[in-house]
Short mmCIF file of all heavy atoms in Angstrom, two decimals:
data_model
loop_
_atom_site.label_atom_id
_atom_site.label_comp_id
_atom_site.label_asym_id
_atom_site.label_seq_id
_atom_site.Cartn_x
_atom_site.Cartn_y
_atom_site.Cartn_z
N SER A 1 39.15 -6.00 8.00
CA SER A 1 38.92 -6.01 6.55
C SER A 1 38.07 -7.21 6.14
O SER A 1 37.08 -7.07 5.40
CB SER A 1 40.27 -6.04 5.82
OG SER A 1 41.02 -4.89 6.14
N ILE A 2 38.44 -8.40 6.62
CA ILE A 2 37.67 -9.60 6.26
C ILE A 2 36.26 -9.52 6.83
O ILE A 2 35.27 -9.85 6.17
CB ILE A 2 38.41 -10.85 6.74
CG1 ILE A 2 39.80 -10.94 6.06
CG2 ILE A 2 37.61 -12.11 6.43
CD1 ILE A 2 40.66 -12.07 6.58
N ALA A 3 36.17 -9.08 8.10
CA ALA A 3 34.84 -8.97 8.72
C ALA A 3 33.99 -7.93 8.00
O ALA A 3 32.78 -8.10 7.86
CB ALA A 3 34.99 -8.62 10.19
N LEU A 4 34.63 -6.88 7.53
CA LEU A 4 33.88 -5.86 6.80
C LEU A 4 33.32 -6.44 5.50
O LEU A 4 32.18 -6.15 5.12
CB LEU A 4 34.78 -4.66 6.51
CG LEU A 4 34.14 -3.51 5.73
CD1 LEU A 4 32.98 -2.92 6.53
CD2 LEU A 4 35.17 -2.43 5.42
N VAL A 5 34.12 -7.25 4.83
CA VAL A 5 33.62 -7.88 3.60
C VAL A 5 32.44 -8.79 3.91
O VAL A 5 31.42 -8.79 3.22
CB VAL A 5 34.76 -8.67 2.92
CG1 VAL A 5 34.23 -9.48 1.75
CG2 VAL A 5 35.85 -7.72 2.45
N ILE A 6 32.58 -9.58 4.97
CA ILE A 6 31.47 -10.49 5.35
C ILE A 6 30.22 -9.70 5.72
O ILE A 6 29.11 -10.00 5.27
CB ILE A 6 31.92 -11.40 6.52
CG1 ILE A 6 33.07 -12.31 6.07
CG2 ILE A 6 30.75 -12.24 7.02
CD1 ILE A 6 33.66 -13.14 7.19
N GLY A 7 30.41 -8.67 6.57
CA GLY A 7 29.25 -7.88 6.98
C GLY A 7 28.61 -7.14 5.83
O GLY A 7 27.38 -7.09 5.72
N THR A 8 29.45 -6.60 4.94
CA THR A 8 28.89 -5.88 3.79
C THR A 8 28.12 -6.82 2.88
O THR A 8 27.03 -6.50 2.38
CB THR A 8 30.01 -5.18 3.02
OG1 THR A 8 30.71 -4.30 3.90
CG2 THR A 8 29.46 -4.38 1.86
N THR A 9 28.70 -8.02 2.64
CA THR A 9 28.01 -8.99 1.79
C THR A 9 26.68 -9.40 2.40
O THR A 9 25.64 -9.46 1.70
CB THR A 9 28.90 -10.23 1.61
OG1 THR A 9 30.17 -9.83 1.08
CG2 THR A 9 28.25 -11.21 0.65
N THR A 10 26.68 -9.66 3.71
CA THR A 10 25.42 -10.03 4.37
C THR A 10 24.40 -8.91 4.28
O THR A 10 23.22 -9.13 3.98
CB THR A 10 25.69 -10.38 5.84
OG1 THR A 10 26.69 -11.40 5.90
CG2 THR A 10 24.43 -10.86 6.52
N TYR A 11 24.87 -7.68 4.53
CA TYR A 11 23.95 -6.54 4.48
C TYR A 11 23.38 -6.35 3.08
O TYR A 11 22.17 -6.12 2.91
CB TYR A 11 24.70 -5.29 4.92
CG TYR A 11 23.89 -4.02 4.78
CD1 TYR A 11 22.89 -3.71 5.69
CD2 TYR A 11 24.14 -3.13 3.74
CE1 TYR A 11 22.15 -2.54 5.57
CE2 TYR A 11 23.39 -1.97 3.60
CZ TYR A 11 22.41 -1.69 4.52
OH TYR A 11 21.67 -0.54 4.38
N LEU A 12 24.23 -6.48 2.06
CA LEU A 12 23.75 -6.31 0.68
C LEU A 12 22.76 -7.41 0.30
O LEU A 12 21.78 -7.16 -0.41
CB LEU A 12 24.94 -6.30 -0.29
CG LEU A 12 25.86 -5.09 -0.19
CD1 LEU A 12 27.03 -5.25 -1.15
CD2 LEU A 12 25.10 -3.82 -0.49
N GLN A 13 23.02 -8.63 0.77
CA GLN A 13 22.07 -9.70 0.50
C GLN A 13 20.71 -9.40 1.10
O GLN A 13 19.67 -9.59 0.46
CB GLN A 13 22.62 -11.03 1.04
CG GLN A 13 23.82 -11.57 0.25
CD GLN A 13 24.40 -12.81 0.88
OE1 GLN A 13 24.06 -13.16 2.00
NE2 GLN A 13 25.30 -13.48 0.15
N PHE A 14 20.70 -8.94 2.34
CA PHE A 14 19.42 -8.58 2.97
C PHE A 14 18.76 -7.42 2.23
O PHE A 14 17.53 -7.39 2.10
CB PHE A 14 19.63 -8.23 4.44
CG PHE A 14 19.66 -9.43 5.33
CD1 PHE A 14 20.86 -9.88 5.87
CD2 PHE A 14 18.51 -10.13 5.64
CE1 PHE A 14 20.90 -10.99 6.71
CE2 PHE A 14 18.54 -11.24 6.47
CZ PHE A 14 19.73 -11.68 7.00
N ARG A 15 19.56 -6.46 1.77
CA ARG A 15 18.97 -5.36 1.04
C ARG A 15 18.34 -5.82 -0.27
O ARG A 15 17.28 -5.34 -0.68
CB ARG A 15 20.03 -4.29 0.75
CG ARG A 15 20.43 -3.47 1.97
CD ARG A 15 19.24 -2.75 2.58
NE ARG A 15 18.60 -1.88 1.64
CZ ARG A 15 18.90 -0.61 1.46
NH1 ARG A 15 19.83 -0.06 2.19
NH2 ARG A 15 18.25 0.13 0.59
N VAL A 16 19.02 -6.77 -0.95
CA VAL A 16 18.45 -7.31 -2.19
C VAL A 16 17.14 -8.02 -1.91
O VAL A 16 16.13 -7.85 -2.62
CB VAL A 16 19.47 -8.24 -2.87
CG1 VAL A 16 18.81 -8.97 -4.04
CG2 VAL A 16 20.67 -7.46 -3.37
N VAL A 17 17.13 -8.84 -0.84
CA VAL A 17 15.90 -9.55 -0.49
C VAL A 17 14.81 -8.55 -0.11
O VAL A 17 13.64 -8.68 -0.53
CB VAL A 17 16.18 -10.53 0.68
CG1 VAL A 17 14.88 -11.14 1.18
CG2 VAL A 17 17.14 -11.62 0.22
N GLU A 18 15.18 -7.54 0.67
CA GLU A 18 14.19 -6.54 1.07
C GLU A 18 13.63 -5.82 -0.15
O GLU A 18 12.42 -5.59 -0.26
CB GLU A 18 14.86 -5.54 2.01
CG GLU A 18 13.93 -4.41 2.44
CD GLU A 18 14.67 -3.36 3.25
OE1 GLU A 18 15.83 -3.63 3.62
OE2 GLU A 18 14.09 -2.30 3.51
N GLY A 19 14.53 -5.41 -1.09
CA GLY A 19 14.05 -4.73 -2.28
C GLY A 19 13.15 -5.61 -3.13
O GLY A 19 12.14 -5.15 -3.69
N THR A 20 13.51 -6.91 -3.24
CA THR A 20 12.68 -7.82 -4.03
C THR A 20 11.30 -7.98 -3.41
O THR A 20 10.27 -7.93 -4.11
CB THR A 20 13.38 -9.18 -4.13
OG1 THR A 20 14.69 -9.00 -4.72
CG2 THR A 20 12.57 -10.14 -5.00
N LEU A 21 11.25 -8.17 -2.09
CA LEU A 21 9.96 -8.33 -1.42
C LEU A 21 9.14 -7.04 -1.50
O LEU A 21 7.92 -7.08 -1.71
CB LEU A 21 10.18 -8.71 0.05
CG LEU A 21 10.80 -10.09 0.29
CD1 LEU A 21 11.01 -10.32 1.77
CD2 LEU A 21 9.92 -11.19 -0.29
N ASP A 22 9.81 -5.91 -1.36
CA ASP A 22 9.10 -4.64 -1.48
C ASP A 22 8.48 -4.48 -2.86
O ASP A 22 7.31 -4.10 -3.01
CB ASP A 22 10.07 -3.49 -1.20
CG ASP A 22 9.37 -2.15 -1.16
OD1 ASP A 22 9.05 -1.63 -2.24
OD2 ASP A 22 9.13 -1.62 -0.05
N THR A 23 9.27 -4.82 -3.90
CA THR A 23 8.75 -4.72 -5.27
C THR A 23 7.60 -5.69 -5.50
O THR A 23 6.59 -5.35 -6.15
CB THR A 23 9.89 -5.01 -6.27
OG1 THR A 23 10.96 -4.08 -6.03
CG2 THR A 23 9.40 -4.84 -7.69
N GLU A 24 7.72 -6.91 -4.94
CA GLU A 24 6.65 -7.89 -5.13
C GLU A 24 5.37 -7.43 -4.44
O GLU A 24 4.26 -7.58 -4.99
CB GLU A 24 7.10 -9.24 -4.58
CG GLU A 24 8.19 -9.91 -5.43
CD GLU A 24 8.63 -11.24 -4.85
OE1 GLU A 24 8.15 -11.58 -3.75
OE2 GLU A 24 9.44 -11.93 -5.49
N LEU A 25 5.48 -6.86 -3.24
CA LEU A 25 4.28 -6.37 -2.55
C LEU A 25 3.63 -5.21 -3.32
O LEU A 25 2.41 -5.14 -3.47
CB LEU A 25 4.65 -5.92 -1.14
CG LEU A 25 4.96 -7.03 -0.13
CD1 LEU A 25 5.40 -6.44 1.19
CD2 LEU A 25 3.75 -7.93 0.08
N VAL A 26 4.48 -4.31 -3.82
CA VAL A 26 3.94 -3.18 -4.59
C VAL A 26 3.26 -3.67 -5.86
O VAL A 26 2.16 -3.24 -6.23
CB VAL A 26 5.07 -2.19 -4.91
CG1 VAL A 26 4.59 -1.13 -5.90
CG2 VAL A 26 5.55 -1.52 -3.63
N ASP A 27 3.91 -4.63 -6.55
CA ASP A 27 3.32 -5.17 -7.78
C ASP A 27 2.03 -5.92 -7.48
O ASP A 27 1.04 -5.82 -8.24
CB ASP A 27 4.31 -6.10 -8.48
CG ASP A 27 5.48 -5.33 -9.07
OD1 ASP A 27 5.35 -4.10 -9.23
OD2 ASP A 27 6.53 -5.95 -9.35
N ALA A 28 2.01 -6.67 -6.38
CA ALA A 28 0.79 -7.40 -6.03
C ALA A 28 -0.36 -6.45 -5.76
O ALA A 28 -1.50 -6.67 -6.20
CB ALA A 28 1.05 -8.29 -4.81
N ALA A 29 -0.07 -5.35 -5.03
CA ALA A 29 -1.11 -4.38 -4.75
C ALA A 29 -1.61 -3.72 -6.03
O ALA A 29 -2.81 -3.54 -6.24
CB ALA A 29 -0.59 -3.32 -3.78
N ARG A 30 -0.68 -3.36 -6.92
CA ARG A 30 -1.08 -2.68 -8.15
C ARG A 30 -1.88 -3.61 -9.05
O ARG A 30 -2.93 -3.23 -9.60
CB ARG A 30 0.18 -2.17 -8.87
CG ARG A 30 -0.10 -1.43 -10.17
CD ARG A 30 1.18 -0.85 -10.72
NE ARG A 30 2.19 -1.89 -10.93
CZ ARG A 30 2.25 -2.65 -12.02
NH1 ARG A 30 1.37 -2.50 -12.99
NH2 ARG A 30 3.21 -3.56 -12.13
N LEU A 31 -1.40 -4.87 -9.23
CA LEU A 31 -2.10 -5.80 -10.11
C LEU A 31 -3.48 -6.15 -9.55
O LEU A 31 -4.46 -6.26 -10.29
CB LEU A 31 -1.25 -7.06 -10.30
CG LEU A 31 0.07 -6.86 -11.05
CD1 LEU A 31 0.87 -8.16 -11.09
CD2 LEU A 31 -0.19 -6.35 -12.46
N THR A 32 -3.55 -6.32 -8.21
CA THR A 32 -4.85 -6.63 -7.61
C THR A 32 -5.82 -5.46 -7.79
O THR A 32 -7.00 -5.66 -8.13
CB THR A 32 -4.68 -6.95 -6.13
OG1 THR A 32 -3.79 -8.06 -5.99
CG2 THR A 32 -6.00 -7.29 -5.48
N ALA A 33 -5.34 -4.25 -7.56
CA ALA A 33 -6.20 -3.08 -7.73
C ALA A 33 -6.68 -2.95 -9.17
O ALA A 33 -7.86 -2.66 -9.42
CB ALA A 33 -5.45 -1.82 -7.30
N LEU A 34 -5.81 -3.19 -10.12
CA LEU A 34 -6.21 -3.11 -11.53
C LEU A 34 -7.20 -4.20 -11.89
O LEU A 34 -8.16 -3.97 -12.64
CB LEU A 34 -4.96 -3.20 -12.43
CG LEU A 34 -4.01 -2.00 -12.36
CD1 LEU A 34 -2.75 -2.28 -13.18
CD2 LEU A 34 -4.70 -0.74 -12.87
N ALA A 35 -6.98 -5.41 -11.33
CA ALA A 35 -7.90 -6.51 -11.63
C ALA A 35 -9.29 -6.23 -11.06
O ALA A 35 -10.31 -6.43 -11.73
CB ALA A 35 -7.35 -7.82 -11.06
N VAL A 36 -9.34 -5.74 -9.81
CA VAL A 36 -10.64 -5.40 -9.21
C VAL A 36 -11.31 -4.27 -9.98
O VAL A 36 -12.51 -4.29 -10.23
CB VAL A 36 -10.45 -5.02 -7.73
CG1 VAL A 36 -11.75 -4.52 -7.13
CG2 VAL A 36 -9.94 -6.20 -6.94
N ALA A 37 -10.52 -3.26 -10.38
CA ALA A 37 -11.08 -2.15 -11.13
C ALA A 37 -11.65 -2.62 -12.47
O ALA A 37 -12.75 -2.22 -12.87
CB ALA A 37 -10.01 -1.07 -11.35
N ASP A 38 -10.91 -3.48 -13.18
CA ASP A 38 -11.42 -4.00 -14.46
C ASP A 38 -12.71 -4.78 -14.25
O ASP A 38 -13.67 -4.65 -15.05
CB ASP A 38 -10.36 -4.89 -15.10
CG ASP A 38 -9.16 -4.08 -15.56
OD1 ASP A 38 -9.31 -2.85 -15.73
OD2 ASP A 38 -8.08 -4.68 -15.74
#
């Protein structure tokens, strides 16, 4: 039970970081493309 809590917390933290980086890369690509297009 305790190990599951630790593992789940670690996994969720990595998922949050992964989602944040994914969003930042997508936003960077979109903003750069719009800036070049303008």
Side-chain angles (χ1 to χ4, degrees):
S1 299
I2 299 174
L4 179 62
V5 173
I6 296 175
T8 303
T9 304
T10 305
Y11 174 77
L12 292 177
Q13 289 175 349
F14 276 106
R15 286 302 302 269
V16 171
V17 173
E18 177 186 350
T20 303
L21 293 178
D22 186 283
T23 303
E24 290 179 355
L25 287 176
V26 171
D27 290 342
R30 181 174 57 84
L31 294 176
T32 301
L34 292 174
V36 174
D38 291 340

